[in-house]
Amino acid sequence: MKALKTLPAEAVQVMLTKATKLVQKGTSAIVQAPGANAETIFIVESSSGKPHLLTVKKREKVECHFECVTLRGKQICSHAIAVAEQIGKLESFFEPH
C-alpha cells in the first residue's frame, strides 16, 4: 500500500499498536453492525469515544467513515487495519486495489 510508504515510521508504528490493541479486545471493540449485508459494516471503538463505522467492500477494501487524523489523505487508519485483521484479510488490505 502506497500510503504506508508516505507516512513517517513513527506514525505507522502508532497505527499498528492501536490496531493490535483493538484486535486484542475482540468483540468488545469490533462488532459487525446488526443487519449488515451487501457491504459488511463494522462498528469500532475509538479513543475519542465516538464509534467508527467501517465498510468492507468488494476485494476486501476496508474504508473508515470517520475523519481519523491518520486517515486524512492516506486512506489508512488503525480502525481499518484492525477490521482487516479481524476478518482475516490483513495481507490483502495492504495490497494495491
Side-chain angles (χ1 to χ4, degrees):
M1 173 174 268
K2 288 182 180 181
L4 283 179
K5 294 178 183 179
T6 63
L7 291 172
E10 299 82 22
V12 173
Q13 187 58 48
V14 167
M15 276 192 293
L16 294 175
T17 299
K18 286 182 177 181
T20 299
K21 289 178 182 177
L22 288 169
V23 171
Q24 288 173 343
K25 289 182 178 182
T27 57
S28 68
I30 304 171
V31 295
Q32 189 167 1
N37 49 24
E39 292 179 343
T40 306
I41 301 171
F42 289 86
I43 302 169
V44 181
E45 80 171 22
S46 172
S47 57
S48 71
K50 297 178 183 177
H52 292 223
L53 294 176
L54 291 95
T55 56
V56 180
K57 298 193 174 207
K58 293 178 183 174
R59 298 191 309 246
E60 289 83 36
K61 182 177 180 185
V62 180
E63 294 181 353
C64 185
H65 299 279
F66 195 82
E67 289 294 319
C68 298
V69 172
T70 52
L71 180 67
R72 289 186 197 135
K74 303 296 182 190
Q75 303 304 310
I76 188 169
C77 68
S78 58
H79 309 102
I81 295 169
V83 168
E85 172 65 19
Q86 187 80 6
I87 64 171
K89 303 294 183 183
L90 188 60
E91 189 172 315
S92 62
F93 175 77
F94 287 110
E95 293 174 356
H97 289 90

